[in-house]
Amino acid sequence: MRPPGTERGRLALVLCLAAAVAAFTATVPLLRGWFDLRVYYGTVHAWVHHGGHIYDYRVPGTAYGFTYPPFAALGMLPMAFVGPDTAILLALLLNLAAVAVVLWILAGRGIGRHGWFGWALAACALALFEPVRDTFSFGQVNLLLLALVLADARLLSTGRGHRAGAGIGLAAAVKLTPALFIGLLLLARRWRAAAVATAVAVSATALAAWAAPDASRFYWTHALWDTGRVGRTDYISNQSLQGVLARLAAPGEPGRAVWLLLVLLVLAVWLRRARRALRGGDWQAAFALTGLAACLVSPITWVHHLVWLLPSFAVLVHARRLRTAGALYAVLCSSVVWLWFDDPSGMDGFLGGNTYVWITLGLLLGLPVGHPPGGGPPLRRFVSATAPAPTAAATASAPVVSGQPGPSSPAAARTTGAVRAEDRSGGSEPTGLTRPAAANPQSSNERASS
């Protein structure tokens, strides 16, 4: 289907799509009532103005409070000096900015070809995507963390890896799940970026320990290990491997040994596939695979955490797997797992109630890798900023030995040596949706997530 050929036709199409999105959002999805933002706002207000402890606050009428590391509360301190409506507006603006950054990094070149029309279509598409809808409706921070991590992916994929690491480090200090991206940097032998990410995460955590020593002690010795503070692991929104096992074992507890075995298997698959992506210089696929693995192995992955699947859709589109991307996108817009909200038992509950888990697992196993957007250079073949690249003439005149081009002069040999030297250098608490206060998930706004 071709887009309208006139500006008036494009504007009419965008307006119709926006109206359809608004109608869908008002009637089909679950509305969250800024629940998580209320948790953040109440926590920092109690901490700053009433001398309360970060992990003592509970949203009135619920048992749910703050579940992030203390540094996250430190970063949210500005909310203590504004009203609740201003806090909601700021959360909306920050999430909109994060969406723009994510879209620009993942698909900016393709969207930019169509100007405002391309950006408007992309915004409508994301507004329907359930994890994005939930992130906005909860007042969540997932998109901000995704933007931080993808900023480092952008630096690495464009040969500026010496500047990477800070985004991943900040994201890991706010939530623990993004720490797996430090593992990706180590796997890629990007020692400098991994060191920067680790140093930033440790420094942020130390700063929080200095600002709130009691809260830090409580979090790292108690709250981190108590998933019950976040919510029931068998709740339908928990679309992780642990969630699958918890629903199978309900009302009992799932076996920890089985979960650990599945986690090790997933990490083994991730290592194998991420290494293959890195060998081909496909940073986008490597980061996409890491986001998928993090969602699967985390004890709790609420539906809104699945914004980490967005890089996988960009990989599918770049690899021309448009039908696959379209089908998976439609499922992730449908809120289908909520059909088993009351009773996820039986074979239909096992298959349908864990739909998003199966999608995440399928992407981890089958995501196309080794095809970097724009045909970027392979990993470990980035030319250092100080080493001159071989000229086209030198490359063309180089003799061929055993099918491999070689330097044709001492100068070319020195250049090649510089490149090879560069080659050798290599140059959470999960939080989320919890038991709703109302029996009808379509109308309840009393779900905790964090």
Side-chain angles (χ1 to χ4, degrees), residues 67-69 141-142 145-146 149 167-184 201 219-220 224 230 238 240 259 267 270 287 289-302 304-309 428-432 450:
T67 55
Y68 292 162
V141 298
N142 306 301
L145 302 184
L146 178 61
V149 169
I168 291 174
L170 282 174
V174 173
K175 276 191 175 183
L176 299 184
T177 304
L180 186 59
F181 289 93
I182 299 179
L184 176 66
Y219 178 81
W220 294 108
L224 172 62
V230 184
N238 185 14
S240 69
W259 175 69
L267 291 177
W270 166 72
F287 271 74
L289 291 165
T290 306
L292 295 169
C295 288
L296 288 168
V297 303
S298 175
I300 292 182
T301 297
W302 306 127
H304 57 76
H305 292 166
L306 296 178
V307 296
W308 293 101
L309 270 62
S428 85
E429 174 166 341
T431 59
S450 43

Side-chain angles (χ1 to χ4, degrees), residues 389-400 405-409 411-412 415:
T391 64
T395 303
S397 62
V400 177
S408 59
S409 67
T415 301

Side-chain angles (χ1 to χ4, degrees), residues 68-259:
Y68 292 162
F71 176 73
L74 202 62
M76 295 174 184
L77 273 181
M79 283 197 295
F81 306 101
V82 300
D85 292 339
T86 302
I88 290 173
L89 177 61
L90 290 175
L92 282 172
L93 292 176
L94 285 172
N95 274 325
L96 286 172
V99 165
V101 171
V102 169
L103 280 177
W104 176 72
I105 293 174
L106 293 180
R109 183 179 300 177
I111 294 174
R113 294 194 191 103
H114 304 284
W116 70 269
F117 182 63
W119 286 99
L121 292 181
C124 288
L126 281 183
L128 294 176
F129 194 64
E130 185 177 3
V132 173
R133 294 195 320 252
D134 273 5
T135 294
F136 273 86
S137 186
F138 271 121
Q140 257 287 341
V141 298
N142 306 301
L143 287 167
L144 295 172
L145 302 184
L146 178 61
L148 285 172
V149 169
L150 289 181
D152 279 343
R154 174 76 176 178
L155 291 173
L156 289 162
S157 66
T158 54
R160 293 175 289 172
H162 61 285
R163 300 180 183 178
I168 291 174
L170 282 174
V174 173
K175 276 191 175 183
L176 299 184
T177 304
L180 186 59
F181 289 93
I182 299 179
L184 176 66
L185 296 176
L186 294 173
L187 182 64
R189 299 183 181 181
R190 292 298 174 136
W191 313 122
R192 177 186 175 90
V196 169
T198 303
V200 169
V202 170
S203 299
T205 302
L207 177 63
W210 171 81
D214 292 340
S216 294
R217 188 180 305 109
F218 176 79
Y219 178 81
W220 294 108
T221 61
H222 177 74
L224 172 62
W225 315 103
D226 182 11
T227 57
R229 288 179 54 87
V230 184
R232 292 167 28 230
T233 55
D234 65 331
Y235 187 52
I236 198 66
S237 182
N238 185 14
Q239 293 291 304
S240 69
L241 293 174
Q242 178 81 311
V244 175
L245 296 176
R247 285 185 284 275
L248 285 174
E253 292 294 325
R256 185 170 295 272
V258 176
W259 175 69

Side-chain angles (χ1 to χ4, degrees), residues 255-273:
R256 185 170 295 272
V258 176
W259 175 69
L260 288 174
L261 177 61
L262 291 177
V263 166
L264 291 176
L265 289 174
V266 165
L267 291 177
V269 173
W270 166 72
L271 281 170
R272 181 174 179 273
R273 304 216 70 224

